[in-house]
Amino acid sequence: MKAAIVGVGVIGGGWAARFLLHGCTVAVFDPSETARAGLEATLAAARRSLPKLYDAPLPDEGRLISALDLETAVADADWIQESVSEDLDLKRRVHAAVAKGSRPDAPIASSTSGFRPSVLAADSAHADRLLVCHPFNPVYLLPLVEVVPSERTSPVVVDQAMAVLEALGMKPVRIRREIDAHVADRLLEAMWREALWLVRDGIATTEEIDTVIRCGFGPRWAQMGLFETYRIAGGEAGMRHFLAQFGPALKWPWSRLTDVPELTGELIEKIAQQSDEQAQGASIRELERRRDDNLVAMFRALKTKDQGVGAVLNSAEARLRGLD
């Protein structure tokens, strides 16, 4: 299989690593020298961490092709993953060029975190093979992909996308109806907005908020998500009791989610200074390595329970062993 990755920043580089380490030929194109340099660091991180997730060997690494132009990258590709900046006009121009230079049966997947596929493909003749496949960083470790087709996307292309992503050891979730920012980022936006207010109002620092997440509900969510967590909180009566007991609190003025904090220079500096202090001098690469090592350890623990990401990894490992 040949995958073409258009745009190799943090997300595109992660896609390239995911395909490459699963034995695919990968053609990458990005006019930015900075992005191309960052790709090597991403590939090194993936080679260091992804094999540790499995007790079965990954396929032999595929061949990496650094294309000098977009047309060369997408030619004869079985899969095209667009991961350029979140600029609608840019994405539409890239998709038009990709459609012109690629095989007519090759899916065109966008990594966009916010745009709906119908918006990306407006007035386009290639809407039948365009869909959103939105991953999460680091793409080479986190398995979730939000798969979002438009009404014009071919069902064959959707099924093909689900199969390709599962073969990469990922967990594709088809979003039932397209919506701006899909599902995960809408949930993250709500928490992010509330966290900004807490910092702005002097309720907690960035370090304290991260501690609340790391040592509180974060580990619970990693294994059972949100709704199952609250089902347990309802006791033997389950979700019905939880909603009856805590549902009225939703009308209390606990949050400021309907308000948007103004990112003034003062607030930006406050958040940035606290974030710098929190890092304690660690570089971004050091933080990434720490993150990846912790993810590997947590995921391997979840494998033994066949829960959350662990269940995804067990299924992927069975495919690697040829047992499914």
Side-chain angles (χ1 to χ4, degrees), residues 9 13 50 72 90 104 113 125 127 144 154 174 209 243 251 258 284 294 297 304:
L50 180 61
T72 302
L90 173 61
S113 60
L144 178 64
S154 166
R174 177 172 176 173
I209 291 171
L243 290 173
K251 297 182 179 180
T258 56
I284 295 298
N294 288 336
T304 66

Side-chain angles (χ1 to χ4, degrees), residues 1-4 19 24-27 65 72-80:
M1 177 180 180
K2 176 185 175 182
F19 276 99
C24 301
T25 297
V26 178
I65 302 169
T72 302
V74 303
D76 298 325
D78 302 292
W79 179 279
I80 297 117

Side-chain angles (χ1 to χ4, degrees), residues 5-185:
I5 313 297
V6 182
V8 289
V10 172
I11 297 300
W15 274 118
R18 173 73 74 162
F19 276 99
L20 197 67
L21 268 65
H22 280 81
C24 301
T25 297
V26 178
V28 298
F29 171 71
D30 195 313
S32 168
E33 293 183 6
T34 301
R36 293 197 301 270
L39 175 61
E40 289 303 319
T42 300
L43 291 176
R47 291 174 180 129
R48 175 178 176 271
S49 58
L50 180 61
K52 296 178 183 178
L53 292 179
Y54 302 111
D55 296 312
L58 289 169
D60 291 339
E61 186 172 311
R63 183 167 66 99
L64 180 65
I65 302 169
S66 295
L68 297 178
D69 52 62
L70 185 146
E71 291 75 16
T72 302
V74 303
D76 298 325
D78 302 292
W79 179 279
I80 297 117
Q81 188 72 39
E82 170 270 306
S83 300
V84 302
S85 301
E86 288 288 282
D87 179 307
L88 182 58
D89 289 338
L90 173 61
K91 285 183 179 291
R92 284 176 171 171
R93 290 197 304 272
V94 168
H95 291 168
V98 165
K100 183 178 180 180
S102 61
R103 289 197 339 238
D105 62 338
I108 303 173
S110 175
S111 299
T112 180
S113 60
F115 295 124
R116 288 173 285 135
S118 60
V119 173
L120 293 173
D123 302 321
S124 170
H126 65 274
D128 62 320
R129 58 185 177 120
L130 189 147
L131 73 169
V132 168
C133 290
H134 174 232
F136 293 83
N137 186 41
V139 182
Y140 52 82
L141 285 183
L142 291 181
L144 178 64
V145 186
E146 294 178 304
V147 177
V148 192
S150 73
E151 291 183 353
R152 298 167 64 192
T153 307
S154 166
V156 174
V157 169
V158 177
D159 290 343
Q160 184 179 355
M162 298 291 283
V164 166
L165 295 168
E166 287 181 356
L168 295 175
M170 306 186 87
K171 180 65 175 178
V173 174
R174 177 172 176 173
I175 306 305
R176 295 174 178 269
R177 183 164 57 88
E178 63 175 344
I179 186 174
D180 292 336
H182 325 312
V183 172
D185 277 354

